[in-house]
Amino acid sequence: MAASRYILPDALRGVTLLVCVWSGLAGGLAATQTSDREAVHKKEMDHWSFRPPQRPAIPQVKNSKWVRNPIDAFVLARLEKERLKPSPEADRITLIRRLSFDLLGLPPTPQEVAAFVNDKRTDAYERLVGRLLASPHFGERWGRHWLDLARYADSDGYEKDSPRPYAWLYRNWVIDAVNRDLPFDQFTLEQLAGDLFPDATEEQKKATGFHRNTLTNKEGGVDQEEFRNKAVVDRVNTTGSTWLGLTVGCAECHSHKYDPISQREYYQLFAFFNNADEKDLPAPQPEELTKYGADKKVWDEEHAKLVKPLNTYVKNELPAKQAEWENAGKLTAVRWTRLEPKLAVSANGATLKTQTNKSILTAFKNPATDTYTVEVKTDLKDITGFRLETLDDKDPATGPGRAKDGNFILSEFSVKVSEPGNESAAQPIPLQNPSADFSQKNWSVAAAIDGDPQTGWAIIPQTNQPHVAVFETKETLNLTPGAKLSFTLDQQYGSEHTIGDFRLSATSSPRPLKASLISDEIIAIWETPADQRTEKQKAELTRYFREEVDPEARELNKPVLEHTRKEPKFPDTKAQTLAENDKPRKTAIHLRGDFLRPGDQVQPATLAILPPLKPRGEKPDRLDLARWIMDPANPLTARVTVNRIWNHLFGRGLVATLNDFGTRGEKPSHPELLDWLAVTFMSPLNSQPSTLNPQPGCGWSQKEMIKLIVTSATYRQSSNHRPDLLDRDPNNILLARQSRLRLEAENVRDVYLAASGLLNPAIGGPSIRPPLPADIAALGYANSIRWKESDGAEKYRRGMYIFFQRTVPYPMLMTFDAPDSNVTCTRRERSNTPLQALTLLNDPVFFECAQALGKRVAEGSVGTDGRIKRAFELCLSRAPTKAEMNRLMKLYDDQLRLVQSRPESAAKILGANGDASQGDAEKATLVALGRVIMNLDEFVTRN
């Protein structure tokens, strides 16, 4: 049996099985007899969540009139058993607000409320549900739920926490997939293995960005293999929580203490993801391509006009001039040998990486000052000088320096030589006659060897291009075989004025040596006999002669080069995705979870407690894993998914532990209902049961499942407090009423914007940056949070589009319990703190909403009572009660007198230059009134 592999691994068959018991500070071992373990395993196999769900018979109930669909029969049967009655149906205003918040995350407009309240058709409620499910805002609301599971964020995490400028492409995919109701089985397959589909589309590859939302560590000096393994671990754990509802992560270091998941099985799951590499997929958006195409067409037309005289000259006159130049032998240049670094280190923590062209690229940490030390060995004889090339690596875009303007300042350049076996006695090599192709005014290359660290060589304004400095040796250097050269590049100016990419060379050419930008490749072509040059070499030499030597060609080429720099860039938008490695990695068990301690090698496989995997080929891959997860025979996936949907609609799942369906998780409150929902979710689509086919089926459609739940009488109950349930069912587990829930963080902001009239309802697109206090941005590492506030209406878009920086998240979202996006979140917490009330009162965003609401009701209503009623309709979808109206009228009168007694306060409240006029005083009073209404608990609560 497959399960026997879990009970008795081959190495332990017939002997005592040792089970690791983790104590938190140290591990211990406890021996258990095989027969005891078999008994435990049999109990685990009999656990309710590992048994395939069966569609139970719909129970018979006494109050059959209350039942609208089978969900109600299961709920009512339990209530009647407990001798409880369900709550009456909520009023229509409550129902439309509840549905709008649950399905769209937005409040209904007064017009929508009036239309529903006055709709006398028997199917008015069902029509409302259908309209809301068809709204594009549905994809935003339920897509946000999924992004919690995907641990979506707009930055890498860890200390450096670099932005991910195109992470939003995955968010767009989720919103679109939810809106078009992509069946959940296909929804899953595309996210776990869209890249492995035959003829995978660009959208399917984008979907695989689900597992690119892991944290990425780009700090200097980190072991990238360690953090690659951490990312794979996160992918395994997230997959287990999201689809299987199991705490598989507990088996990373040792076999699971409570559930039938061995450490070997954990790394068999790990093997599915271990061969996936992170890849960025070019994904320009349609509007970007349209703009690029139009700009490129204009540019091409202008460029053709500029190139025409140059092409005529090149064709008719340049060949003869080039032949004359070559025959005259006018190219004189020093012959350089590039030195291959054996060691390159930064004194202050930057990462120096040797490239294939023997250059050294500086990456990650960018200290204010730094000293680079580079050690090389060379067999070159009679060295007369050294060359330093600073290369334009395009990072930053203005290079080759790492300062914001692309500059660098080389304070001192020095070289030492050490004989083999006597490295500690390195001798300095005197240098002379420095030269450079260009030096900034007052920052000559001569200052790089003057012994003064306060001076140096710099290159402003000629950034965004390579530069060369040459230093002669005072005496010819004859190296002993095995001798080592040590170069020091001291950069002490500060303000991150360090070199980003450089290369070192040496020469034996006779002095004097002069800096030249003639490339080594051109010199090599020049020294090749003309009749032996390849066509590529000939073309390169012609290009050099045209652009660097011939004065007339250079003059004709100037406007061409200038225009070339203005060529529109193809959109660099890239989607984060995964792709299989061409060279499969081997996977081993990590002893105690340590990737540096490999144990037995394992192959991709699934959990023995669940149905067997059915691979398509010889070696299973992620697509096989995804198909196994969505196999109807898998007892977990459908249960976990419908339970999560239920949680979003009732505030509590039928299984309270959404991420733990194992032996330590909560038992379902309504097990038969959970199984009926799971089977219905998987069954072929049948939204209108008939006598021939009486059972509904959703065909993995989330919209159909949501529709089934929200049209039930159970969902439509009032959420009013019931004294009879206070002691018997305080947590509403029996579902004798609806739940009353505070809105989620993003929706709190959304309802303020919607009621005030400021909301920008645009769907999808890049993340936004609403106003952020400067002291919050300062918390980011090394100025990593460059929070440029979004322009115009962009900053009024929905909360789900706020740029999420993992290390310094938007404070309002965290105040209202948004997840930190470091790991998957299956259920948000709900807290109630004074800080939340203070935020709603004083945060500039919410105060601006109150200002806009005051202006909106002032312009759209007549009379104080009319304005108060209008504000109530916009915020609470209802008219105020008589008591509420009396209290608000008194508040209005008191506030108006207060503002009139302090005329200067009107301008402060309105956020504009006001005066003591009656109009300004009334407007300011309405703002204060709006703040009160917007800070009512009812405003941010779904009843």
Side-chain angles (χ1 to χ4, degrees), residues 332-334 336 386-388 433-439 445 457 467-472 512-518:
T332 57
V334 179
W336 294 97
F386 301 103
R387 179 180 69 178
L388 169 66
N433 294 337
S435 62
D437 70 292
F438 175 79
S439 292
V445 71
W457 175 45
H467 290 285
V468 174
V470 169
F471 305 89
E472 294 180 4
L513 306 176
K514 292 298 178 183
S516 170
L517 285 174
I518 301 175

Side-chain angles (χ1 to χ4, degrees), residues 353-668:
K353 296 182 178 180
T354 301
Q355 310 298 299
T356 55
N357 65 354
K358 300 183 182 178
S359 72
I360 298 170
L361 180 64
T362 311
F364 302 124
K365 187 176 180 181
N366 187 11
T369 64
D370 210 345
T371 299
Y372 303 158
T373 301
V374 181
E375 295 180 358
V376 305
K377 290 183 179 181
T378 180
D379 296 328
L380 191 65
K381 303 297 183 183
D382 302 326
I383 294 176
T384 58
F386 301 103
R387 179 180 69 178
L388 169 66
E389 296 174 88
T390 63
L391 308 174
D392 178 22
D393 65 349
K394 304 299 183 186
D395 188 15
T398 53
R402 301 188 80 188
K404 291 181 180 179
D405 58 5
N407 198 11
F408 63 82
I409 297 178
L410 177 63
S411 304
E412 290 294 314
F413 178 86
S414 60
V415 191
K416 292 182 179 180
V417 61
S418 55
E419 297 296 326
N422 193 22
E423 283 79 2
S424 61
Q427 297 298 316
I429 300 173
L431 303 174
Q432 65 179 12
N433 294 337
S435 62
D437 70 292
F438 175 79
S439 292
Q440 181 178 331
K441 185 179 180 181
N442 300 325
W443 296 88
S444 167
V445 71
I449 60 170
D450 64 358
D452 183 356
Q454 301 304 312
T455 64
W457 175 45
I459 58 167
I460 284 290
Q462 292 193 13
T463 56
N464 200 21
Q465 62 189 72
H467 290 285
V468 174
V470 169
F471 305 89
E472 294 180 4
T473 60
K474 285 188 177 181
E475 298 179 0
T476 301
L477 186 64
N478 292 304
L479 296 179
T480 304
K484 181 174 66 178
L485 292 174
S486 179
F487 294 84
T488 301
L489 283 69
D490 202 16
Q491 301 150 99
Q492 297 301 320
Y493 179 77
S495 303
E496 302 175 351
H497 277 65
T498 56
I499 299 172
D501 193 0
F502 64 98
R503 182 166 53 212
L504 296 165
S505 304
T507 185
S508 296
S509 295
R511 301 181 187 89
L513 306 176
K514 292 298 178 183
S516 170
L517 285 174
I518 301 175
S519 69
D520 298 333
E521 289 76 14
I522 290 296
I523 295 172
I525 295 171
W526 177 264
E527 293 179 337
T528 302
D531 59 350
Q532 296 180 24
R533 293 172 188 159
T534 65
E535 292 301 318
K536 184 177 179 180
Q537 287 176 321
K538 292 176 183 177
E540 183 62 19
L541 190 60
T542 298
R543 182 204 62 77
Y544 172 76
F545 178 75
R546 182 181 73 245
E547 295 181 2
E548 304 293 339
V549 179
D550 184 69
E552 192 169 348
R554 291 178 66 183
E555 195 63 30
L556 288 169
N557 199 37
K558 277 183 181 179
V560 176
L561 291 175
E562 181 66 27
H563 193 254
T564 299
R565 282 191 278 269
K566 299 176 183 177
E567 182 178 3
K569 292 184 178 180
F570 188 81
D572 59 358
T573 306
K574 292 181 175 64
Q576 299 175 141
T577 184
L578 295 177
E580 288 294 276
N581 192 332
D582 293 334
K583 298 178 180 178
R585 296 183 180 94
K586 295 180 180 179
T587 300
I589 296 173
H590 297 172
L591 301 179
R592 308 287 282 189
D594 185 352
F595 83 105
L596 293 176
R597 297 175 60 196
D600 294 341
Q601 287 192 9
V602 296
Q603 298 300 320
T606 51
L607 305 182
I609 193 69
L610 298 174
L613 181 73
K614 302 171 185 176
R616 308 180 327 280
E618 183 177 342
K619 187 171 182 178
D621 58 19
R622 277 181 290 115
L623 184 54
D624 293 314
L625 174 67
R627 293 174 62 182
W628 172 78
I629 287 173
M630 296 311 304
D631 190 331
N634 188 325
L636 290 170
T637 306
R639 281 186 176 125
V640 169
T641 306
V642 297
N643 185 63
R644 193 160 52 234
I645 293 173
W646 189 275
N647 173 73
H648 292 315
L649 296 172
F650 287 90
R652 186 185 191 280
L654 296 171
V655 177
T657 50
L658 272 68
N659 66 332
D660 190 358
F661 275 50
T663 59
R664 302 294 287 184
E666 294 281 347
K667 293 181 179 179

